[in-house]
Amino acid sequence: MTATLIPATLAFRDDGTPFSPRYGDVYHSPSGALEQSEYVFLRGNHLPGRWQNKRVFTVLETGFGMGVNFLATWAAWRADPARCERLHFVSTEMHPFSRDDLRIALAAVVERTARADLADLAHALADAWPMLVPGTHRLEFEGGRVTLTLAFGDALEVLPKLWLRADAIYLDGFAPAKNPELWSPPIFKALARVAGEDCTFATWSSAGDVKRALQQSGFEYHKETGFGDKWTMLTGRFAPRWRVRRHEPPLPVALDERHAVVIGAGLAGSALVERLAARGWRVTLIERHAEPAREASGNPAGVFHPLISRDDSSASRITRAGFFYALQRWAALDAAGHAPSRTHAGLLHLATDDEAQAVAAALESFGYSDEFVRGVSREEAEAIAGTSLAQGGWFYPLGGAIDPASLCRAQIAAARALPGAQIDVRYGVAVARIERDERDEVSAEKAGSWRVYDDAGALVAQAGVVIFANAHDASRAAALDFAPTRNVRGQLTLLDASPLASLRVPVIGDGYAVPLPDDVTLVGATYEVDDTDTTLRAGGHTENIERVAQMLPALDALRDASSDDQERRGRVALRCVTSDRLPMIGQLGDEQAARHDAQRLSGAWPLDLPRTPGLYGAFAFGSRGLVWAALGAELIASQLEGEPWPIERELVEHLDPARFLQRALRLRAL
């Protein structure tokens, strides 16, 4: 269960040095914050020299604090003409500052340094600062070339859950005597799991316990002259004399060319195109329809919001991370001139008595900010909604509704607009099968790449990576036996001259109502498992109206007339879902290899499973594609590039397309 996040308290000593009352220690040396960062962490890790001319370089930090180490690293990267293409900075923080306190703290640092470049970076960091909720937050700067991944929570808990390959480690935080947990052996053991070859570290501390914990975890250290009033500091590298980990940290996929075929141009596929293009990939997008978003992604509107649960379940944590990341990506589309059509006034969730009690307990337990979610009475909810409601519930100020098709088009357009973009879109092409090209000769494509054939048997594309983002057809096209998905028929209803014309925000509960232009209200939707009939049914309209009328009494008149022989507008789409209601995101398992080695793999964990080289999936998003698609695309792009994963590894395992293969192995059902 996620612990409540307690923000830091900002205080200053008489000499102006930021101070933590909780730990009784300063945030940086009185001799200067930026100077300490540059001397201890940059110089101590031989930066910027070590990142020069590399594609990706990753820094891992224990204790983000005020973010000065990040700003110093970002500034050095900016000033280096031979800098790496993409800089990743990953940091943990148990007590993050509020945005306002962070601005104050960084303003003091900037004033002391009198560096205009640092002021610009400090403003950018504060502007992008995430909401203080537990979990992993990914922020992007410099057009995505500098990425900050913040893990809010106790480092003892969150650090072992991160998955990355660190090139440099900044051991920072309050003094070992003040915060011994951050310098304990479990922390260094977690660092050893993710340290890459030639990974270096630096720290201002030279305490004996720190030196012993470093050695025990496979690091070798050297004492050097310290900064300011510190006599000595430690630098060193990861150089284990024995095996200290079961799995090697992630590496980029080995390809002659970074070229991917994405099958499906709905929410999942269009997000993948944008995330891969942002990293310079050549992408071939194949869609069987004549335009994007013609299946479930083609509904007139869809709602987006987090998921609150009393135990902060895995689904809640994944959805929360996806919600915040989606908002970031949509804001970036807005800024780039590719704004999708969406609402900005929030979303109301009306609850039954049992739901209200559970959510109220969760809100009290986790102490979420009102800007994230807040409980509302019926009277408060009605004031927000602009219409009468049957009960209260809770309000998501950042939730709302979006036109999914406009989002898909925006992402594809943004990808095509990138400098040097290589995006080839093939509409009207139905993928029938793929096969591995096992030729030995070297061609324009990597030998052993995947060949994609249409339903007429013609070769339509070939690449080292194929990503299935085509919902119901993914398992068939990828020839998967252990990727069980089901179709769920969803019929929605469009109410013209709607009695809910005054509705200001989307309202959800046992059904949903979304205000559309021209006094139209979208209500829905039915949930009919294993029903693939896409014709509109009068009974479906009746069901939608009756269910939503229980939440919004203004529809009572229509409910009474819902059995009349009148034609209503609507749409039917088929959702693709799994038995655990979580999507399939990541590299596909090699089922044939698993069968051959089933006995040994009966106790396998996800990282133990054999994988099919170059095949990935992003499907079975059910009704949460809007909040999962961008995060799923970022996860797959990170896996391909060997970058830090955007969410905790344990959550990724819940999304793993091979999780059902793993279950079958454990049940010896192969």
Side-chain angles (χ1 to χ4, degrees), residues 644-665:
W645 289 4
I647 55 175
E648 299 91 326
R649 192 174 76 182
E650 66 176 4
L651 298 183
V652 173
E653 291 174 354
H654 286 290
L655 308 176
D656 192 341
R659 65 186 184 271
F660 295 100
L661 173 62
Q662 179 192 12
R663 294 172 193 175
L665 286 164

Side-chain angles (χ1 to χ4, degrees), residues 455-473:
D455 51 4
L459 177 65
V460 294
Q462 185 171 353
V465 171
V466 175
I467 308 174
F468 296 93
N470 52 338
H472 323 283
D473 290 334

Side-chain angles (χ1 to χ4, degrees), residues 12-143:
F12 292 92
R13 295 199 318 190
D14 292 342
D15 62 359
T17 305
F19 175 81
S20 169
R22 179 181 299 275
Y23 290 98
D25 200 2
V26 294
Y27 277 95
H28 61 74
S29 168
S31 300
L34 183 65
E35 294 84 356
Q36 180 185 32
S37 294
E38 292 177 334
Y39 183 91
V40 175
F41 298 108
L42 288 168
R43 174 182 168 275
N45 280 284
H46 309 290
L47 299 175
R50 288 185 56 240
W51 68 41
Q52 290 180 347
N53 302 312
K54 290 188 176 182
R55 170 157 177 77
V56 176
F57 192 89
T58 300
V59 176
L60 175 59
E61 177 187 53
T62 57
F64 189 77
M66 295 164 46
V68 177
N69 293 338
F70 169 65
L71 295 179
T73 305
W74 182 5
W77 177 89
R78 251 192 172 191
D80 183 8
R83 58 183 174 258
C84 54
E85 290 183 38
R86 294 177 66 87
L87 173 66
H88 278 270
F89 196 101
V90 182
S91 187
T92 63
E93 181 54 58
M94 186 175 182
H95 300 293
F97 283 110
S98 69
R99 179 182 281 108
D100 290 343
D101 282 351
L102 182 68
R103 287 190 193 277
I104 295 171
L106 291 179
V109 173
V110 169
E111 181 179 5
R112 180 166 183 167
T113 61
R115 279 179 46 176
D117 63 328
L118 195 69
D120 292 340
L121 302 188
H123 283 304
L125 174 60
D127 288 344
W129 193 241
M131 196 178 293
L132 300 191
V133 296
T136 304
H137 302 262
R138 175 158 285 188
L139 312 179
E140 297 181 5
F141 307 94
E142 307 284 356

Side-chain angles (χ1 to χ4, degrees), residues 221-275:
Y221 68 85
H222 307 282
K223 288 199 295 185
E224 299 191 23
T225 302
F227 174 78
D229 60 356
K230 296 288 184 182
W231 286 96
T232 59
M233 57 176 272
L234 300 179
T235 65
R237 65 188 183 97
F238 183 60
R241 299 177 183 177
W242 56 89
R243 183 179 175 86
V244 296
R245 55 196 181 196
R246 180 174 178 178
H247 299 104
E248 289 300 304
L251 283 167
V253 174
L255 296 168
D256 286 346
E257 180 190 12
R258 290 186 302 147
H259 176 205
V261 174
V262 175
I263 303 173
L267 288 169
S270 60
L272 280 160
V273 170
E274 191 276 329
R275 290 289 74 204

Side-chain angles (χ1 to χ4, degrees), residues 12 109 180 456 485 493 511 535 568 666:
F12 292 92
V109 173
T485 60
T493 304
T535 58
R568 296 198 182 277
R666 290 189 170 185

Side-chain angles (χ1 to χ4, degrees), residues 126-213:
D127 288 344
W129 193 241
M131 196 178 293
L132 300 191
V133 296
T136 304
H137 302 262
R138 175 158 285 188
L139 312 179
E140 297 181 5
F141 307 94
E142 307 284 356
R145 292 176 295 164
V146 174
T147 299
L148 171 61
T149 303
L150 290 166
F152 286 165
D154 187 343
L156 282 170
E157 296 181 7
V158 301
L159 192 57
K161 299 176 182 178
L162 302 180
W163 196 228
L164 66 148
R165 177 175 288 264
D167 298 298
I169 296 173
Y170 296 178
L171 294 173
D172 202 4
F174 298 117
K178 304 287 187 179
N179 186 16
E181 291 82 6
L182 196 58
W183 304 88
S184 61
I187 292 291
F188 292 98
K189 183 178 179 180
L191 295 173
R193 289 195 187 100
V194 298
E197 294 180 9
D198 301 321
C199 177
T200 61
F201 77 87
T203 178
W204 51 265
S205 175
S206 59
D209 288 345
V210 173
K211 290 185 284 189
R212 284 186 289 273

